[in-house]
Amino acid sequence: MKNVDISRDSFDPGNGFSRVVWQQGRVQLDADLNEQASIMLHTLRTMMVDLTGRHGGPVAACGFRVLLTEEDLVEEVVAQDRDEVVVLLRQLERTDLIISKGRYYVDGILCENPRFLHYSQHAGGEHRGRGIEAAGCYLVYLDVWEREVTALEDQAISEVALGGADTAARLRVVWQVRTVTLRERARGFMNMNPPWPELVSGWQHRHRGALRVRAREVDSQSAAAMGEARATYRGPENQLYRVEIHQGGKAGDRPRASFKFSRDNGVVAFRVENLTDDGQTVTLREWARDDTLAVAVGQVVELVDEERLQHGGAGALPKVVWVDPTSRQIKVDAPLRKHGSREGEGLILRRWDQLPGEPRRGGLELVDGAAQIVEEEWLTLEDGIEIMFERAPTHVYRSGDYWLIAARVATGDVIWPQHDGEPAALPPHGVEHHYAPLALIEVGADGEGVKMILPLTRTFGRDAVESIPDEVFVFGGNS
């Protein structure tokens, strides 16, 4: 959870905990309350998958149906909606489609579409050039994930009665209808080329890297006399480090896979008021409360906007060369680039904490502000915290994936699972994407429009009548 000021994320489904029990007279921690919410959410989503399958919608309000003609309308569409959709269908352009409103569950996650919408409007830049404009056979599918929302993105979260104080953050379910071209015309879901598992592994590889974490072992004189060593985290306070993949791919790719890190889980971030035309001077809407949460010369920053949050990808990581707290202005050594947002709207400037070091001694090698991934070597972050990316030919890193590392002053160590006395190699803590097929369509040549090959949405409910092939029903329940 980026830009969320938590002490740590203690939820682990492998523990089998059914609830958190508060005890009288004990210290209350944010991690306990957050773990209770995670336990309940895990239970509800697992139950939905067990009862309804990996994807599906309620028969009376199933959303995300792909509509191309009036023949695609189902009996469950109520009269007022039917009239609205008929008008939309008659206005539909040759290479566009309509996505129905309603609810759909993907891996137990509730996705709600409040209105009928055109794919071209929803997909935006993705539709142009990469959507359904060229002739061919396409799979329409749903991509679902969660992202954090704080007062930076939604000011309504802050409490005006307390002077606009930041309070609790939120997690939002984000969905995106996407299309992918198939190599040849598919008659049904089971004979797609490439098949569904191959497509999913391309969007979200099964092996997206594994990380080990430790506090560097330092010999003190007394410990050395006894032949012992101790772990030493030397930071001045407790921290929640975030290691996030910046440039994805394999470790040996060009450009090389890279990462960035924040000692505060990315909470040092600011809303942008203005960005100059050259992209090198940014004016912030407010300044930091203290130097710890401010931006200083020599640090690395990143510009984030809605387009990047929706479609992912790595942005520029320029270095700060000038700071003026009075005018709230920051100048960087390379342009900050926007991705579709209007000037000053929805733009956030986030600080990252990686600094260059001596690679031969485990220091970070920075290229364009990002630390290069080197596998099977301990890399030093700061204050004794070291990480190692496990080497495996199957690992494909994905931009945006992250690990959270809790460092504690009291123990001088990090909180990290151990295996046989060594730090365990863990897959990313997130971000997990979930996918569901919606329809097979075909775009004809010579001006022909979009045709439906096979709808792939499923319904469930007391009076549900399945009108799609059994193979899709089996997939929905068991894949």
Side-chain angles (χ1 to χ4, degrees):
M1 291 181 283
K2 180 164 53 181
N3 203 31
V4 178
D5 193 8
I6 58 175
S7 59
R8 66 184 179 116
D9 185 359
S10 60
F11 174 67
D12 182 355
N15 290 330
F17 296 150
S18 61
R19 62 173 175 155
V20 174
V21 180
W22 291 78
Q23 301 184 82
Q24 59 181 350
R26 306 304 202 274
V27 176
Q28 296 181 354
L29 301 176
D30 64 289
D32 295 333
L33 183 60
N34 292 332
E35 185 171 344
Q36 175 63 65
S38 295
I39 289 172
M40 290 303 300
L41 197 59
H42 175 72
T43 300
L44 290 172
R45 289 176 174 174
T46 301
M47 182 171 60
M48 279 301 300
V49 173
D50 291 341
L51 294 177
T52 65
R54 294 288 299 273
H55 61 85
V59 63
C62 181
F64 299 92
R65 299 179 189 269
V66 173
L67 307 177
L68 297 172
T69 67
E70 294 184 36
E71 296 178 357
D72 298 323
L73 299 180
V74 293
E75 296 180 359
E76 297 85 37
V77 178
V78 294
Q80 60 266 33
D81 288 340
R82 182 178 293 271
D83 294 339
E84 175 189 354
V85 177
V86 168
V87 173
L88 292 174
L89 287 171
R90 290 173 180 173
Q91 300 173 344
L92 195 63
E93 295 185 0
R94 184 183 68 84
T95 58
D96 206 352
L97 52 87
I98 292 174
I99 304 162
S100 72
K101 74 176 185 180
R103 300 187 296 278
Y104 210 66
Y105 292 85
V106 181
D107 287 340
I109 301 173
L110 172 61
C111 305
E112 295 183 282
N113 180 19
R115 65 186 183 279
F116 292 91
L117 54 86
H118 288 88
Y119 169 75
S120 58
Q121 297 173 344
H122 166 69
E126 181 171 337
H127 176 78
R128 296 185 294 273
R130 292 187 297 165
I132 54 174
E133 294 183 341
C137 184
Y138 295 84
L139 170 69
V140 185
Y141 68 98
L142 189 60
D143 180 5
V144 182
W145 70 99
E146 285 184 308
R147 83 172 191 221
E148 307 82 358
V149 179
T150 68
L152 285 175
E153 294 87 6
D154 188 348
Q155 296 184 55
I157 293 177
S158 60
E159 179 50 67
V160 295
L162 300 176
D166 191 8
T167 58
R170 309 291 192 269
L171 285 181
R172 171 180 291 159
V173 173
V174 184
W175 52 264
Q176 180 82 45
V177 176
R178 306 185 191 275
T179 59
V180 62
T181 307
L182 302 179
R183 298 188 187 116
E184 56 190 46
R185 189 184 191 280
R187 298 184 303 276
F189 177 79
M190 299 301 288
N191 66 1
M192 288 194 316
N193 185 13
W196 177 256
E198 182 179 327
L199 288 171
V200 171
S201 65
W203 302 326
Q204 178 166 264
H205 203 275
R206 290 185 60 187
H207 305 285
R208 308 196 313 271
L211 192 71
R212 304 178 190 270
V213 181
R214 73 181 184 186
R216 180 188 297 133
E217 294 182 348
V218 177
D219 290 324
S220 65
Q221 290 184 353
S222 58
M226 295 183 293
E228 297 177 348
R230 58 187 177 90
T232 304
Y233 162 62
R234 300 185 296 279
E237 57 185 343
N238 299 326
Q239 301 285 4
L240 183 63
Y241 284 82
R242 180 187 187 91
V243 174
E244 181 174 317
I245 300 300
H246 183 68
Q247 177 70 50
K250 294 189 175 182
D253 286 353
R254 291 291 183 271
R256 285 171 58 185
S258 60
F259 71 96
K260 51 202 173 189
F261 83 83
S262 165
R263 68 178 66 95
D264 302 292
N265 192 27
V267 300
V268 182
F270 308 87
R271 287 178 293 171
V272 173
E273 183 176 282
N274 178 262
L275 181 66
T276 56
D277 292 338
D278 63 4
Q280 291 192 250
T281 302
V282 58
T283 303
L284 307 179
R285 293 190 181 181
E286 60 278 320
W287 194 249
R289 301 191 302 269
D290 54 50
D291 291 342
T292 302
L293 299 177
V295 177
V297 172
Q299 294 178 324
V300 173
V301 293
E302 181 181 22
L303 190 68
V304 182
D305 57 31
E306 185 66 25
E307 185 84 3
R308 176 160 294 145
L309 289 174
Q310 196 75 358
H311 299 289
L317 291 173
K319 185 169 64 175
V320 176
V321 296
W322 176 78
V323 171
D324 183 9
T326 303
S327 63
R328 307 185 308 281
Q329 288 188 327
I330 295 172
K331 187 172 183 179
V332 294
D333 65 353
L336 292 162
R337 302 180 183 89
K338 295 180 289 185
H339 290 259
S341 296
R342 292 187 294 271
E343 183 172 349
E345 181 177 345
L347 296 177
I348 294 174
L349 189 75
R350 174 166 289 115
R351 188 192 82 189
W352 296 97
D353 297 315
Q354 63 271 11
L355 292 174
E358 175 52 61
R360 290 177 295 181
R361 298 183 178 181
L364 303 182
E365 178 189 355
L366 267 56
V367 175
D368 295 330
Q372 303 299 286
I373 290 180
V374 181
E375 296 178 328
E376 291 301 322
E377 290 186 19
W378 287 106
L379 304 176
T380 301
L381 300 187
E382 63 177 13
D383 293 330
I385 304 297
E386 295 183 329
I387 64 173
M388 176 189 287
F389 292 93
E390 186 180 50
R391 177 178 292 137
T394 57
H395 285 171
V396 179
Y397 300 96
R398 184 178 64 182
S399 178
D401 280 352
Y402 67 90
W403 292 263
L404 296 180
I405 307 164
R408 297 296 181 253
V409 174
T411 61
D413 206 349
V414 295
I415 300 176
W416 194 262
Q418 302 292 302
H419 180 70
D420 293 336
E422 297 293 332
L426 300 185
H429 294 148
V431 177
E432 289 298 321
H433 285 243
H434 307 264
Y435 305 94
L438 299 179
L440 287 171
I441 60 173
E442 186 174 31
V443 178
D446 301 325
E448 295 181 11
V450 182
K451 296 180 181 179
M452 177 71 71
I453 298 177
L454 181 68
L456 298 174
T457 49
R458 292 186 56 245
T459 57
F460 58 83
R462 182 169 55 87
D463 300 319
V465 177
E466 297 291 349
S467 59
I468 56 178
D470 290 340
E471 62 192 29
V472 179
F473 182 83
V474 171
F475 162 78
N478 297 300
S479 73

